[in-house]
Amino acid sequence: MAAFPWHARSRNYVSESDVYKLESVPLDFGDYHPLKPITVTESKTKKMSRKGSTSSTSSSSSSSMMDPLSSVLDGTDPLSLFAAAADPLTATASMDGIRKKRDKDDNSAVGSDFEQWSSKRSEILSRYTTTEKLSINLYMGSEKGKTTTSGSAVSEKVRTRLEELDDLEEGSQKELLNLTQQDYMNRIEELNQSLKDAWSSDQKVKALKIVIQCSKLLSDTTVIQFYPSKFVLITDILDTFGKLVYERILSMCMDNRVSLSDNFSPETVNDTAKETCLNWFFKIASIRELIPRFYVEAAILKCNKFLSKTGILECLPRLTSVIRGIGDPLVAVYARAYLCRVGMEVAPQLKESLNKNFFDFLLTFKQIHGDTVQNQLVVQCVEIPLYLTLYSPAIDWILQCIAYRAPENLTNFSELFLQVLLTEMMERCKKLGNNALLLNSVMSAFRAEFIAARSMDFIGMIKECDESGFPKHLLFRSLGLNLALADPPENDHLQILNEAWKVITKLKNPQDYINCAEVWVEYTCRHFTKREVNTVLADVIKHMTPDRAFEDAYPQLQSIIQKVITYINDFSLLFSVEKFLPFLDMFQKESVRVEVCKCIMESFIKHQQESTKDPVILNALLHICKTMHDSVNALTLEDEKRLLAALINGFIKMVSFGRDFEQQLSFYVEARSMFCNLEPVLVQLIHSVNQLAMETRKVMRGNHSRKTAAFVRACVAFCFITIPSLSSIFTRLNLYLHSGQVALANQCLSQADAFFKAAVSLVPEVPKMISVDGKMRPSDAFLLEFLCNFFSTLLVVPDHPEQGVLFLVRGLLNVIQDYTWEDNSDDKVRIYTNVLHLLSAMTQETYIYHVDKVDSNDTLYGGDSKFLAEISKLCETVIAQILDHLKTLGKEETLKRQSQLALCFFNTILAHGDLRNNKLNQLSVNLWNLAQKHGFADTKTMVKTLEYIKRRSKQPDMSHFTDLALRLPLQSRT
Amino acid sequence: MGTALDIKIKRANKVYRCGEILSGVVVITSKDTVQHQGISLTMEGSVNLQLSAKSVGVFEAFYNSVKPIQIINSTIEMVKPGKLPSGKTEIPFEFPLHVKGNKVLYETYHGVFVNIQYTLRCDMRRSLLAKDLTKTCEFIVHSLKGKLTPSPVDFTITPETLQNVKERASLPKFLIRGHLSSTNCVITQPLTGELVVESAEAAVKSIELQLVRVETCGCAEGYARDATEIQNIQIADGDVCRGLPIPIYMVFPRLFTCPTLETTNFKVEFEVNIVVLLHDDHLITENFPLKLCRM
């Protein structure tokens, strides 16, 4: 095959740019802009006579874009549709109705901000457990006999014996002994089920009996540590029962199949329903035993609504006082909790009885120290502190109910409450010690603002508490939790801290101490300066160091650090807290230490606004980063490494010594030595150093002095020796190229050459497949991209005086030639066409771009004919290669590729070749025909190309294109 | 199968007072037409007296006198003999509640030895081949309003106030104080009051309210008087807090209580016992006669 000589078209880039560059059009930011906010105006077509603005009708104007929100507002929401459809009068009425109803709801229903019982339920069940054996004692014998048994004078003893006989005869006494906790729970669940079954099979009396027997279990306090859980289980049954009764009566109220609304009045209830309801109450009122009677009545409290408006109002206080008859204080307090629970559900607005419940509880509090309770505890081997914690769920619940929405009348209610409480407390303090429990419950139940405002009082009370009962550190912890949420009065800040810390610091047990301190650190950080924080940290260190107590307290210590860095965002301030770093030293377990370091770095990256050169920060953070870096080992996960690297990079980016470039460089050098195991950090460092070099160039306005030139060379050297230590080949290639460009820009020609040479020699090592995001992908696309980029750079790289002409290009071409390409890929040819582009550009008199202050080959050779001949020879070789390849594609299955490549080459000639040359002209015509030969050419593309040629022919000096166009036939598909 | 007879009284609670009109419907349901010899409705009210087993021997002489005392008895013919169509037939009725002469409509009361009961009975007489059908239905009579004067009672129970004590020395010391709002009670209102265990050496096991009826049958020459328990309501369970008032609260059960009644042949009276049971099985009882009335 004859060699085709290449004749590059000579270009005048300046004039071309003038002709082809886009015209700039002044932007008109008129009405429309996609980001402009949509202005909403009320449309006048809607009825305006409605009260209230529940249905704001609006339409978006001045925007062609449909905003989903505004489209909803635009009259299509159900409320406004409804309002628009009805005439104004009825609309008003119904709207008012709805509003009234809603207001009512607000009064009578508990808002979603009330923590529901269900959320407490599982907590109690999991907390109060036992391994002891439990028993259920059920007498399913009928209650009947009692109303008719004769003889009032029969003694109690005889009578019970008779009853027992009766029951035995009926064979319905069940006593289940030796149940494990799980058995017990299953039994209760069975009872719950049989209650439902009995109810659905219309055995109302049996259902009532089950409920009575169940609630009777609540009077039994054997295995006392299980009592709270038992309460939870059994009240579930009671709730079921209450619901069943209520629904049954409600269903009886259905008149003409219209059920009552939720807020019915008793007058609308029919007589039958009322009678049934009354029957229930009469039946329950005759239950002999106090506890079942109380619980069952409380369970159906809601049914009072059927009888009278004030029923519940009267019932609640009565039931409250009924509880006074329960002798066991634990049983009583849970009964109170249940009443509050039912009360909150049915009539949350009735606060008085809630309060009364609590005050009654206070009155009976002294019973805990009575003989009855103490004897019981001795029998069951339960310690007083454990016993007291059994009270917590109930008291917490009662207080939560009381505190709910209490602030509305905070002034009078809470004052009163506190007064009562305080006097109660002080009085008891002198005699007993266990009001601590109460205090704790008060603090955890009431709103933080409320507690915070009276912190000093609380501290006073805590201090007076006796240590024997409830542990004091828990009290301080509770108080601290409140203070973390709400601010105490300004003047008390310091005193509170002093008082609290005085006690905390005296705690002997490190675990108690740290639990307390953890909470109080937040308060300290919130209100005080670094001095106090420092003191606190110092104290913590002092307490936690002996016997390596910190080892058991990592979570708490970690949370302390977190709190400190949340509140102190200024890192120079943070690190000037002397004890901060010593505090960090306590984290001796590596995983925890790294976690802490990560937290600190995250906070730094998030909060540090300006770059810094503060030596304190740098030292500390370097230390921290080093810790993170050193945790990396062979087992570290990729993700973890990436995260750590991102954090360290974030830090490196924030370091700036301003104009002190040398120090900056030495910082990078130090960083490199520290973080050598994390590649992304090294990459970042190379980029930073490159940036530093360019920064220097900018400062010197391109004219390096001797000193800056040396500095820049140092930077370049840094990059050059760092890059090889990276493992990813494309990162290396790109960095070589990038750094070479930087070196070139800084007139370090030999260094740039070195970079490019390194890049060239690295190309053969590129593997066929590389791993991208954990998947193996072919690397050719990346390589192609890199090489094109490389070619563009090579245009301006001047030839080395001692090496031959186009030394680098030849070297690269050799490498490409020798590279083992995929068998069925055309990448090599695509690269060769790109090489043609490069070579064409190199033959121009003036290159399209230059590096400032670097003479490229155009200046060096000045269009020397030898140089051009050299290029031409190269071109010939490349063209020969391309044509060879095209020939090999002549097989059936590769014809499509052949057509595409032919067209691609044709385009190259069209763009860069001089078509006045006959041979080239002929070649292009041949290529055109080849592209169409087997019908694989895309007709549209061909037509467009032809149109382009015709258009070009109209330009000056392009008349030969007309002839060319005539020689290019267009093959129709068919 | 067959024919069903039912009486439906208009008022759901079936409560009527003297002078009012008792109204309702008799409902007959049948698949086929019903042939009958007439349907009648009878209203009856009577006092049944019974002597307790222990009294029988002593008061044999009275045996004759213990027969039901009729208060009211009237019958009306609702439907003359004939046929009723198949399906459901409702026949409304009205009875004026009036008594003849100087008889009084006592209030409905179900006791042990005294029972005051009012019934409606519907009879359907049929030919020899089919059995007669009968349905009875109780209705309740409430007596007219009485007078009530409040009579609050304060009480104190100590070992010294007790009677019937065998060994006073072995008694633990205690002081229980309290009051009843009134011993003259409205039957529809609960018995209320308060009780305070001021002090007790022994632990309290239970405090109960025992409602007792005292029924007397007979006349001036000789009579049987029996006291029986109606119900027992526990108001305190376990060792209650000292000095804390415990509510006394008891609802009077329906049917088993009535306004206190005193006639020539029988008496129905009520009492309440406050029973305190101590842990060492000491039983302390304080008795209060009640006077119930209806307002």
Side-chain angles (χ1 to χ4, degrees), chain A residues 477-490:
Chain A
R477 194 181 137 82
S478 302
L479 183 61
L481 284 172
N482 279 307
L483 291 177
L485 292 173
D487 298 340
E490 186 81 40

Side-chain angles (χ1 to χ4, degrees), chain A residues 193-204:
Chain A
Q193 196 51 50
S194 55
L195 165 67
K196 285 179 194 163
D197 291 346
W199 188 270
S200 57
S201 59
D202 221 34
Q203 293 173 280
K204 305 284 188 300

Side-chain angles (χ1 to χ4, degrees), chain A residues 11 20 99 131 164 194 241 279 300 329 338 392 411 476 486 612 641 675 777 782 803 827 841 846 877 956 968:
Chain A
R11 322 257 308 244
Y20 293 117
R99 195 168 312 129
T131 50
E164 274 173 15
S194 55
F241 177 72
N279 260 332
I300 65 159
Y338 184 67
S392 299
T411 39
F476 271 106
T612 177
K641 278 197 216 166
F675 308 125
R777 295 267 170 77
F782 294 98
Q803 312 276 2
D827 290 327
T846 320
T877 326
L968 299 178

Side-chain angles (χ1 to χ4, degrees), chain B residues 108-165:
Chain B
T108 301
Y109 167 73
H110 292 260
V112 183
F113 304 107
V114 179
N115 262 301
I116 306 172
Q117 200 172 16
Y118 296 86
T119 51
L120 271 178
R121 195 179 73 238
C122 179
D123 291 301
M124 181 196 270
R125 288 178 301 282
R126 297 207 279 184
S127 58
L128 286 169
L129 291 172
K131 257 204 232 162
D132 289 358
L133 286 178
T134 306
K135 171 80 185 176
T136 44
C137 165
E138 185 178 1
F139 68 95
I140 294 154
V141 170
H142 279 180
S143 56
L144 296 170
K145 285 175 186 175
K147 269 188 205 153
L148 185 101
T149 43
S151 56
V153 178
D154 288 331
F155 60 87
T156 306
I157 314 172
T158 61
E160 289 71 39
T161 62
L162 296 178
Q163 301 159 344
N164 291 331
V165 188

Side-chain angles (χ1 to χ4, degrees), chain A residues 891-956:
Chain A
K891 283 173 231 146
E892 188 68 33
E893 63 273 18
T894 51
L895 285 175
K896 189 170 183 185
R897 279 162 58 196
Q898 189 189 41
S899 152
Q900 279 172 351
L901 279 184
L903 194 63
C904 173
F905 190 29
F906 173 80
N907 284 337
T908 302
I909 297 175
L910 209 60
H912 298 282
D914 186 354
L915 285 168
R916 276 170 297 199
N917 179 290
N918 282 337
K919 270 198 168 171
L920 218 50
N921 201 320
Q922 185 54 50
L923 177 63
S924 62
V925 173
N926 289 349
L927 285 170
W928 176 267
N929 288 331
L930 181 65
Q932 295 198 95
K933 196 170 166 187
H934 299 286
F936 283 105
D938 179 25
T939 323
K940 249 189 211 166
T941 320
M942 301 307 270
V943 171
K944 282 226 173 110
T945 315
L946 206 58
E947 271 170 13
Y948 166 76
I949 295 169
K950 282 176 185 160
R951 212 168 46 238
R952 283 288 298 275
S953 67
K954 289 186 187 113
Q955 285 170 1

